[in-house]
Amino acid sequence: MTRTADVPVGKRVRGSAKSTRKKNGQSMSKSEDTRNQNRADEDVGGPRGWYSRGYVPHCDGYGLLQSITFRLADSLPKQTLIQMQRELSRIPKERQNPEKRRRIEFWLDQGLGCCALRHPTVAEKVQESLLHFHGVRYQLVAWCIMPNHVHVLANCRDQLAKIVQGWKSFTSRWVLARNEELGLSIPDKKQFWMREYWDRYIRDEEHLLAVTAYIHNNPVKAGLCEQMSDWRWSSANPDSQRIICADGDVGGPGADA
């Protein structure tokens, strides 16, 4: 039985990651990817539920279909962030957040930092964590584990902050305990993930398709593979589709995150 997301946007849309993939797993053109990123990052208004802990704004609400990005603590050098902030201060305030996100995505794709998620064992553990509460706390629609950051598209059935914290806390403990054993070279022995994360709620079908396409094409855009379906740690990969569409439990870490 194939599971689909209950999408709380304008009209019923298909939440299957497979349905938005290019034929034969082929990658998109650069112009296509740019259009998808622009649509995915478009700064839109939202329902009640906006809040901030002083870093970036979040929109939290039960039943929202959310695009979430979280990254490793050393994925962006401090000097790069300082310079970015100086440049952003020169543009209109209402465009600063979407522009900041685009620039951060660019720098993340340069593969900076220890890139511990490139290690197959670590990537597999992170993917297990994403799948663990699929169908319970959230319904996964699409995901991609990059060398230093993670993209997830999910229909949330619990508090967004609680969901993300669950992914981070379990994987952080597991990875940091094996830093030397796996030769990961994580610089901070006490911090694996950056505290904050980015999220955008999906407002309509066009936005859903653009975000899913962007997530799946990220490894191609970063030069990590030739086709979306080639990236092992993505919902565009055929093996991932078989996991998420299988009947029964999808597996996961041995303990509650």
Side-chain angles (χ1 to χ4, degrees), residues 8-10 39-40 42 44 65 201-208:
V9 292
R39 291 169 186 160
E42 194 172 325
V44 298
L65 187 58
Y201 76 92
I202 305 301
R203 68 191 184 280
D204 55 31
E205 183 174 11
E206 182 181 10
H207 194 199
L208 170 67

Side-chain angles (χ1 to χ4, degrees), residues 91 188 193 245:
I91 67 175
D188 189 335
W193 299 106
C245 293

Side-chain angles (χ1 to χ4, degrees), residues 28 118 156 174 216 228 255:
M28 298 177 292
R118 191 189 298 273
C156 299
W174 192 93
H216 284 166
M228 301 177 192

Side-chain angles (χ1 to χ4, degrees), residues 187-213:
D188 189 335
K189 304 302 187 276
K190 295 183 179 180
Q191 184 178 10
F192 184 54
W193 299 106
M194 192 68 185
R195 179 184 177 186
E196 275 293 332
Y197 57 90
W198 287 92
D199 59 89
R200 283 288 186 273
Y201 76 92
I202 305 301
R203 68 191 184 280
D204 55 31
E205 183 174 11
E206 182 181 10
H207 194 199
L208 170 67
L209 296 175
V211 170
T212 307

Side-chain angles (χ1 to χ4, degrees), residues 66-125:
Q66 297 269 22
S67 172
I68 308 148
T69 300
F70 53 104
R71 63 184 180 90
L72 299 188
D74 72 334
S75 56
L76 288 175
K78 184 177 180 180
Q79 191 56 44
T80 299
L81 290 171
I82 292 174
Q83 180 61 32
M84 184 189 308
Q85 198 59 46
R86 288 174 182 164
E87 295 171 355
L88 290 171
S89 66
R90 302 188 187 109
I91 67 175
K93 189 173 182 179
E94 64 272 15
R95 297 304 305 164
Q96 287 182 9
N97 275 340
E99 180 60 25
K100 181 178 181 179
R101 176 164 181 150
R102 276 189 283 270
R103 295 191 186 198
I104 286 178
E105 291 285 359
F106 169 79
W107 284 109
L108 288 178
D109 289 344
Q110 305 311 301
L112 304 177
C114 66
C115 291
L117 302 179
R118 191 189 298 273
H119 195 293
T121 303
V122 177
E124 182 175 4
K125 188 58 62 174

Side-chain angles (χ1 to χ4, degrees), residues 17-18 21 25 124 127-128 131 134 140 143 216 227-247 249-251:
K18 186 176 180 181
R21 198 185 315 151
E124 182 175 4
Q127 184 163 271
E128 281 183 8
L131 291 167
H134 166 64
L140 290 173
W143 73 87
H216 284 166
Q227 299 181 345
M228 301 177 192
S229 58
D230 292 339
W231 191 245
R232 182 178 175 186
W233 313 112
S234 165
S235 50
N237 184 278
D239 290 338
S240 297
Q241 280 297 312
R242 282 192 284 272
I243 292 172
I244 202 170
C245 293
D247 287 334
D249 294 335
V250 293

